[in-house]
Amino acid sequence: MSAPNTLPKNILSKPLYYILLALIVGVSLSLGIYKSLEISVSYKEALFYFSTPRFLADRLLLQALHAFVERVGCTLPKDLVLRLPGLFLHGLNIILIYHISHKMPLKKPYDPLFVALTFALLPGVQLGAILLGKVSLLLTLSFCALLGFYTWVFYPLVVVIALADGSTIVLLMGLCLYTLKQRYTLKMALLLGALGFNLYYFRSIKGMPEGFFIDTLVVMFVLYSPCLCLYYPYALYAQVVKNYKQDSLIGVVATTGFALPLLLSLRQELPPQFLSYGAVGMPILLQKVLSSIRLHLPVFRSHYYIRYSLVFGTLFLESAFLWGGYNPFVSTHYIAKELATALKAKGIDAIHVDSEQMALRLKFYGIQERPDLFLIKQKKQGEIKIRYKNKVVASYAITNHKP
């Protein structure tokens, strides 16, 4: 991936660093569980949960998810169980990127901990962990491909990646560009075949060209945090272009993961998982940040401290906003669970809801359709009031008459 690590192995294997890594994973998963218990299933999540996927991988994953929710959902909150696989993979990804960081040139033995912490704080990574989707799984496959690139595991893994999702064209393209640069003929042929199959099977690039560049760029600013999203491309550019003679698998894959979705957005709207692959380059970002500080004498470091305080300060602020409880900007992830609980407390397990989106969300919590009882959304005078932080955010009335 890059120049070999020059630190003594006994330093890297100190139990203290693994304890701190376990602490990062534990806190991140605890926050994920807390948020999973707070939010409700959104309409898009419910739509996927009750759908019949077209592609084989999606069908298998959904069947496994249904079996898991039915088996474990009787002992734990159902929406928490729904999110547990993503949270488990999120914890695994933090561990994997910690080990990947050891493939980069290290100056201090605790640098990989900074990489793991930064990765865990990325808003897009956190959202991918707690929301139903394949972001965490796709990141796991990416890290496994990077770690297993020089082993026999890479060959069957490429097949899995090609079948996993239409967005994996980004990962396959990054790996293909690296094999082209290093002239690995066999791997390049395998990756080209997998890329061609993925494009034909998922048809992820299709339709009439439309411009979604600005929309995609805004989403990336949210997923990576604004200041980090501005500095990150420079770090990747310095690694891949300025230091092009270096053997950096992570750099090529991360650069492709960041740049290719922006290029594709010039012609079509992209699902969120297309934007996830750029996160694998966090070791490069931290390497650039820390080396910029350490190369200068202490008296000249204040400028860099201010710059990187802005970068990582916005990252912490956006994470605090994400975990700060109910917010009207993300109201689509609230209300449904509390509403279902209130209905069941009144002995109602079936009711008609005018909103198809809310009806599908309530279905996940066991509230079925009923033609002779109606749930009407009102301003604040309804008999069912949903409160967050002692503030009424939604109100509903129950009637036997069609409104």
Side-chain angles (χ1 to χ4, degrees):
M1 295 184 189
S2 60
N5 187 354
T6 56
L7 289 173
K9 291 186 177 180
N10 60 338
I11 293 181
L12 293 176
S13 60
K14 280 185 177 180
L16 173 62
Y17 297 118
Y18 291 104
I19 292 172
L20 293 174
L21 176 64
L23 181 63
I24 293 172
V25 174
V27 171
S28 185
L29 291 182
S30 298
L31 289 172
I33 292 172
Y34 166 77
K35 197 66 179 180
S36 298
L37 291 171
E38 181 184 63
I39 64 177
S40 303
V41 169
S42 69
Y43 171 67
K44 289 184 177 180
E45 291 175 308
L47 188 64
F48 175 75
Y49 185 80
F50 291 111
S51 67
T52 304
R54 170 187 171 190
F55 301 110
L56 175 62
D58 291 341
R59 287 200 300 271
L60 294 176
L61 289 172
L62 190 57
Q63 289 173 6
L65 182 63
H66 275 277
F68 180 72
V69 170
E70 290 173 5
R71 181 178 294 269
V72 185
C74 56
T75 57
L76 294 173
K78 191 175 180 181
D79 49 357
L80 173 61
V81 177
L82 183 73
R83 307 182 195 282
L84 281 179
L87 287 170
F88 170 77
L89 290 173
H90 173 61
L92 177 61
N93 289 338
I94 296 174
I95 296 171
L96 290 176
I97 201 169
Y98 174 82
H99 285 288
I100 285 175
S101 301
H102 288 296
K103 306 295 182 180
M104 303 292 293
L106 296 174
K107 299 296 182 182
K108 301 291 183 180
Y110 47 78
D111 286 356
L113 290 173
F114 287 128
V115 175
L117 179 61
T118 304
F119 174 80
L121 285 172
L122 287 176
V125 171
Q126 296 181 71
L127 289 172
I130 62 176
L131 300 182
L132 182 61
K134 293 192 287 187
V135 171
S136 292
L137 175 62
L138 295 174
L139 283 172
T140 302
L141 291 175
S142 302
F143 292 140
C144 290
L146 294 176
L147 286 170
F149 184 81
Y150 295 103
T151 68
W152 65 269
V153 176
F154 180 76
Y155 297 97
L157 188 60
V158 168
V159 178
V160 175
I161 290 171
L163 289 168
D165 189 72
S167 68
T168 54
I169 60 169
V170 179
L171 175 60
L172 292 170
M173 180 63 73
L175 294 169
C176 191
L177 289 175
Y178 179 76
T179 57
L180 177 63
K181 176 186 175 183
Q182 300 298 326
R183 299 181 182 179
Y184 296 145
T185 307
L186 179 60
K187 289 179 178 176
M188 184 172 62
L190 174 64
L191 288 165
L192 285 174
L195 184 61
F197 171 81
N198 184 278
L199 287 169
Y200 174 79
Y201 182 63
F202 290 101
R203 300 187 183 277
S204 51
I205 301 178
K206 60 181 180 180
M208 297 295 294
E210 298 180 70
F212 289 92
F213 180 83
I214 300 299
D215 304 74
T216 304
L217 194 61
V218 170
V219 173
M220 294 186 79
F221 267 67
V222 173
L223 297 181
Y224 288 92
S225 87
C227 292
L228 188 145
C229 195
L230 291 174
Y231 182 75
Y232 188 34
Y234 167 72
L236 294 176
Y237 168 80
Q239 176 69 32
V240 176
V241 179
K242 285 188 175 181
N243 301 325
Y244 69 94
K245 292 183 179 180
Q246 289 187 3
D247 179 14
S248 179
L249 172 60
I250 300 174
V252 174
V253 172
T255 303
T256 307
F258 194 90
L260 184 57
L262 288 174
L263 291 176
L264 292 176
S265 69
L266 294 172
R267 59 157 289 121
Q268 67 187 80
E269 187 175 11
L270 299 174
Q273 58 264 31
F274 271 82
L275 309 178
S276 62
Y277 300 97
V280 303
M282 286 302 109
I284 291 174
L285 174 70
L286 267 294
Q287 180 193 33
K288 181 66 178 176
V289 168
L290 296 173
S291 63
S292 296
I293 294 174
R294 291 165 180 164
L295 285 175
H296 294 82
L297 295 172
V299 69
F300 298 114
R301 290 178 182 175
S302 57
H303 171 74
Y304 293 92
Y305 282 132
I306 294 172
R307 178 193 302 178
Y308 299 132
S309 294
L310 289 174
V311 172
F312 294 102
T314 55
L315 187 63
F316 276 96
L317 286 175
E318 195 167 343
S319 296
F321 177 82
L322 176 63
W323 302 112
Y326 175 80
N327 191 292
F329 292 106
V330 289
S331 59
T332 53
H333 293 279
Y334 288 86
I335 298 174
K337 176 167 55 177
E338 290 79 5
L339 180 56
T341 302
L343 289 171
K344 289 179 179 179
K346 293 179 176 293
I348 299 172
D349 57 6
I351 197 169
H352 176 77
V353 187
D354 285 338
S355 170
E356 293 182 3
Q357 296 185 1
M358 182 58 76
L360 191 63
R361 297 174 70 192
L362 290 175
K363 181 181 177 181
F364 177 82
Y365 294 102
I367 304 297
Q368 303 299 323
E369 172 68 17
R370 179 176 172 180
D372 59 342
L373 191 64
F374 302 90
L375 184 69
I376 305 169
K377 186 174 183 179
Q378 299 185 338
K379 290 186 177 180
K380 288 189 178 180
Q381 66 271 28
E383 56 192 285
I384 297 179
K385 294 180 174 64
I386 309 300
R387 290 183 172 88
Y388 292 102
K389 297 180 179 178
N390 298 320
K391 181 180 179 181
V392 176
V393 299
S395 179
Y396 294 88
I398 301 172
T399 178
N400 292 320
H401 306 287
K402 186 175 182 180

